[in-house]
């Protein structure tokens, strides 16, 4: 099968030779093939006038020329497509000293709730999310078939919503033209409760069944909400049985969402489960650079490095960048590293100071063992593991020295501490469960 | 084709459709007007592939037919005929002969088969009725705020949507935003529309002076406007308009009410001393209940005007683009206007003191 551009270019050059220049420019400019499906060529045209004209006057000609090149072509469909917003960084913005209305964040499409900013082009891929990204790519290549449902989980602020909305934005685009809907589970719950109260439950049930791609964010919110879970279960079945693509996201792995019905849990697990980790340093640098590009903001390397080192939450980073951009606009000149440090200090959430005792208590409670056993000499398995985890966290996150850790945890030798940290480090890579547990403990400590 | 018609009717119809024509078109047929004589009417058509217009007038038909002729020449001929008698138009041997009393003109024709098909919506998503003057008022009230460039298509358009018994018209160029609400009671679901800026201007020109009620049909890519003898179609922009309600400042630091005419008068003088950025400074003094407006141009001089105004809230010194401020008066009919400032670096909301159906947001200048 020929690719879209080559096929259309050859047809255009044939047509160009057989009509006047003016005719060619008027009717054939801005046309292109957007997709091919089972012998049907989907041709994009800029407006309805062109569609009418090509269909009424040139359909047979175009069809013939297409079949001359590609025998498999059976028919042509004309699709009026939206004009592509020109890339802003290419066009020099006219200098205007008036500030801009802060509209940038409010371009949510009311029909499908998708934010046009969340696209693959603006999504930075790194080792922390490459698995999730690959899964999303597989979904768009074979929607409803490859990974259905796709379940993405990970702590807040690392890009889940961006990724799942990127799938949505791609699938609704002209190359796929699917009916897409995005919503949070909270909105689903509220809609359901409302429908029950107003006796409009049938309408509610029907509402979501017509979509080709259904995306639900933050499903952890459904924990404990039995009736809503049941409704979602039915919706899931209808969509799934019709090979419609379903995508879920959550801040936790399905096994850790409390009070989740088994049958819903098994549905969530029926396709592919992927996680998004907190981004590593290099990925954070890449993310900051990409966001600067999209915002037309120029930052020197030392500033970027400082920002990447100070925060690992992408949402917080974005907030910091927005503040920097805003202040740069107001002051009308680039900010110094010192000024930026001050901004970050003022705007970032205060990090809680934790004591070693608090960490020990939290971990002990988490594993349901008495706090005192951590300090004891005991080598019981159920105590050793939490103790090693405490050592790991103290070292990794709080950079406490090995001897100090050993001291605080019952007078142990620093080599024991080193060994424990290494062990946990290894096991995290191998055990999904351990990784989960440690992430949850870290969240509890925030 | 041979017909007889009243020159007034023809002249009016031609001058309306002619406004849609792109005179610099590549294709000669696009600079032409199409006449279709059939039954008891002559239908006059023109298009620039963004907007298409068809107007029908009653005529006496001797023989039916279709002919296309360059719009500019036709317009000039009709404009210069002073008689108010009956006009005869006939196509003979590939030319168009227009004669009235003792005047006769012969115009070139173009093969009519080349004339574009003016699309009509087959399955509208929504159909609703509106008074022409409401549509025109809504568009006129906000169109000055739309962007002239089409980098962001939704900013180069007028946005129209239905909410709570009102049809809302909005336009913005990202520095200021104008919103006008027109009461509309309808049970129909009206999907939000984006009509390109230029198309709006053309629609306004075609509808100028029309009194009747119009029916609007909407589909994903086009809007059809119909009323007896008239059909207009315009391309719609497929895009998203931002949820601007979210940026309307929730906290107002300073409110000042002006007599509109006082402001207009002062600004006329201050314009003389505007700098290249059109910077207009507001010095709002709470303690003295005065607002002073200033402009400065190092090459020309300075202008200053003070007004006694009731000031609610804090004193404030803030700069705006004078043009953005002066633009708003065309859409406010009230005698008094309220300026509600969100503070430095926040939007200013301007409304008529009495009528709440128009709102204007404008951002201040960076210091």
């Amino acid at each position: 099968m020929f690719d879209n551009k080559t096929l259309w270019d050859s047809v255009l050059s044939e047509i160009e030779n057989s009509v006047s220049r003016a005719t060619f420019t008027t009717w054939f400019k801005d046309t292109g093939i957007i997709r091919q499906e089972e012998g049907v060529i989907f041709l994009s045209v800029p407006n309805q006038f062109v569609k009418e004209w090509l269909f009424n006057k040139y359909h047979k000609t175009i069809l013939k020329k297409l079949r001359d090149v590609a025998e498999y072509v059976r028919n042509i469909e004309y699709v009026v497509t939206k004009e592509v917003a020109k890339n802003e960084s290419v066009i020099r913005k006219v200098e205007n000293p008036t500030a801009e209305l802060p509209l940038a964040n409010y371009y949510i499409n009311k029909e499908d709730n998708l934010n046009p900013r969340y696209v693959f082009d603006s999504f930075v891929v790194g080792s922390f999310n490459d698995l999730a990204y690959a899964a999303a790519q597989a979904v768009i290549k074979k929607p409803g078939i490859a990974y259905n449902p796709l379940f993405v989980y990970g702590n807040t602020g690392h890009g889940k919503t961006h990724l799942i909305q990127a799938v949505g934005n791609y699938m609704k685009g002209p190359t796929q033209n699917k009916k897409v809907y995005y919503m949070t589970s909270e909105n689903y719950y509220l809609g359901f409760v409302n429908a029950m109260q107003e006796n409009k439950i049938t309408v509610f049930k029907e509402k979501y069944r017509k979509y080709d791609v259904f995306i639900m964010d933050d499903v952890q919110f459904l924990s404990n909400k039995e009736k809503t879970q049941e409704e979602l279960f039915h919706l899931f079945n209808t969509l799934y049985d019709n090979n419609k693509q379903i995508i879920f996201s959550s801040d936790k792995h399905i096994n850790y969402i409390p009070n989740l019905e088994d049958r819903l849990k098994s549905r969530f697990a029926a396709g592919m489960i992927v996680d998004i980790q907190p981004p590593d340093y290099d990925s954070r640098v890449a993310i900051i650079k990409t966001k600067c590009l999209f915002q037309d903001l120029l930052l020197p390397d030392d500033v970027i490095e400082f920002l990447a080192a100070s925060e690992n939450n992408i949402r917080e980073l974005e907030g910091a960048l927005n503040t920097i951009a805003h202040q740069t606009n107001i002051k009308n000149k680039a900010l110094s590293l010192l000024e930026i440090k001050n901004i970050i200090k003022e705007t970032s959430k205060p990090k809680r100071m934790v004591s070693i005792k608090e960490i020990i208590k939290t971990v002990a409670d988490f594993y349901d063992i008495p706090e005192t056993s951590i300090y004891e000499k005991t080598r019981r398995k159920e105590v050793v593991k939490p103790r090693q985890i405490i050592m790991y966290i103290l070292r990794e996150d709080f950079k406490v020295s090995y001897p100090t850790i050993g001291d605080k945890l019952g007078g142990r030798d620093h080599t024991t501490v080193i060994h424990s940290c290494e062990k946990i480090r290894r096991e995290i890579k191998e055990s999904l469960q351990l990784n989960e547990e440690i992430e949850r403990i870290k969240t509890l400590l925030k | 084709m041979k017909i007889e018609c009243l020159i007034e009717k023809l002249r009016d119809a031609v001058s309306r459709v002619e406004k849609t024509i792109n005179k610099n078109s590549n294709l000669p047929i696009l600079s032409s007007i199409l006449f279709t004589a059939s039954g008891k009417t002559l239908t006059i058509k023109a298009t620039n592939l963004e907007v298409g217009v068809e107007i029908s007038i009653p005529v006496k038909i001797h023989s039916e037919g279709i002919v296309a002729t360059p719009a500019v020449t036709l317009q000039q001929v009709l404009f210069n005929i002073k008689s108010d008698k009956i006009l005869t138009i006939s196509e003979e041997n590939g030319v168009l002969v227009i004669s009235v009393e003792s005047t006769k003109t012969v115009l070139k024709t173009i093969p009519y088969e080349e004339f574009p098909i003016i699309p009509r919506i087959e399955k509208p998503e929504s159909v609703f009725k509106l008074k022409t003057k409401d549509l025109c008022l809504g568009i006129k009230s906000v169109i000055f705020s739309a962007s002239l460039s089409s980098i962001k298509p939704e900013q180069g358009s007028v946005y129209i949507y239905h909410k709570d018994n009102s049809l809302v018209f909005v336009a913005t160029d990202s520095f200021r935003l104008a919103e006008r609400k027109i009461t509309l009671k309808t049970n129909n679901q009206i999907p939000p529309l984006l009509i390109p800026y230029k198309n709006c201007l053309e629609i306004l020109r075609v509808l100028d002076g029309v009194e009747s009620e119009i029916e609007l049909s909407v589909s994903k890519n086009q809007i059809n406007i119909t009323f007896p003898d008239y059909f207009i179609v315009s391309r719609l922009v497929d895009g998203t308009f931002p949820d601007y309600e979210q940026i309307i400042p929730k906290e107002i630091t300073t409110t000042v009410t002006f007599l509109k005419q006082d402001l207009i008068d002062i600004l006329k003088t201050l314009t003389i001393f505007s700098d290249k950025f059109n910077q207009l400074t507001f010095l709002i003094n709470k303690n003295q209940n005065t607002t002073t407006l200033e402009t400065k141009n190092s090459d020309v001089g300075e202008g200053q005007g003070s007004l006694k105004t009731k000031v609610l809230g804090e004193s404030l010194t803030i700069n705006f683009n004078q043009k953005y401020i002066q633009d708003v008066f065309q859409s406010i009919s009230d005698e008094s206007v309220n300026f509600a400032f969100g503070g430095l670096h926040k939007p200013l909301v301007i409304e008529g003191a009495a009528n709440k159906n128009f709102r204007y947001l404008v951002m201040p200048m960076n210091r």
Side-chain angles (χ1 to χ4, degrees), chain B residues 344-363:
Chain B
L344 281 181
H345 316 304
K346 297 262 166 61
L348 156 66
V349 185
I350 304 179
E351 286 176 307
N355 278 315
K356 296 300 169 194
N357 51 25
F358 177 79
R359 253 192 318 196
Y360 187 66
L361 274 121
V362 54
M363 285 299 275

Side-chain angles (χ1 to χ4, degrees), chain A residues 191-205:
Chain A
F192 177 65
V193 165
N194 218 22
M196 296 269 274
Q197 284 172 351
E198 293 188 6
N199 225 347
K200 289 192 179 146
I201 198 69
T202 327
V203 175
F204 181 80
K205 278 178 190 289

Side-chain angles (χ1 to χ4, degrees), chain B residues 1-19:
Chain B
M1 178 193 99
K2 182 168 177 183
I3 61 149
E4 282 176 21
C5 66
L6 286 170
I7 179 153
E8 263 316 304
K9 282 199 182 287
L10 184 65
R11 197 172 14 226
D12 181 69
V14 168
S15 73
R16 283 179 200 269
V17 314
E18 182 265 346
K19 297 192 163 59

Side-chain angles (χ1 to χ4, degrees), chain A residues 154-256:
Chain A
N155 262 336
T156 163
H158 295 324
K160 296 190 299 291
T161 304
H162 188 154
L163 185 64
I164 62 181
Q165 284 212 19
V167 173
N169 274 318
Y170 179 83
M171 295 305 292
K172 86 180 212 200
T175 57
Q176 300 295 319
N177 208 20
K178 296 275 185 269
K179 288 205 278 292
V180 181
Y181 197 75
Y182 164 89
M183 70 189 312
T184 60
S185 73
E186 184 175 358
N187 279 329
Y188 186 74
Y189 163 73
L190 292 172
F192 177 65
V193 165
N194 218 22
M196 296 269 274
Q197 284 172 351
E198 293 188 6
N199 225 347
K200 289 192 179 146
I201 198 69
T202 327
V203 175
F204 181 80
K205 278 178 190 289
E206 291 304 307
K207 193 167 168 195
Y208 305 109
R209 291 184 184 185
K210 60 183 192 226
Y211 292 104
D212 301 316
V213 181
F214 184 76
I215 308 173
M216 188 178 278
D217 213 347
D218 289 323
V219 297
Q220 75 274 5
F221 183 79
L222 293 177
S223 138
N224 284 321
K225 299 182 170 63
E226 278 173 29
K227 285 220 153 48
T228 313
Q229 287 184 27
E230 181 179 339
E231 184 54 41
L232 181 59
F233 172 76
H234 293 306
L235 173 62
F236 180 99
N237 286 333
T238 310
L239 292 170
Y240 186 82
D241 290 342
N242 286 306
N243 285 327
K244 306 296 189 190
Q245 180 67 45
I246 310 162
I247 304 178
F248 294 111
S249 90
S250 163
D251 67 351
K252 322 175 174 56
H253 188 275
I254 54 177
N255 290 334
Y256 289 95

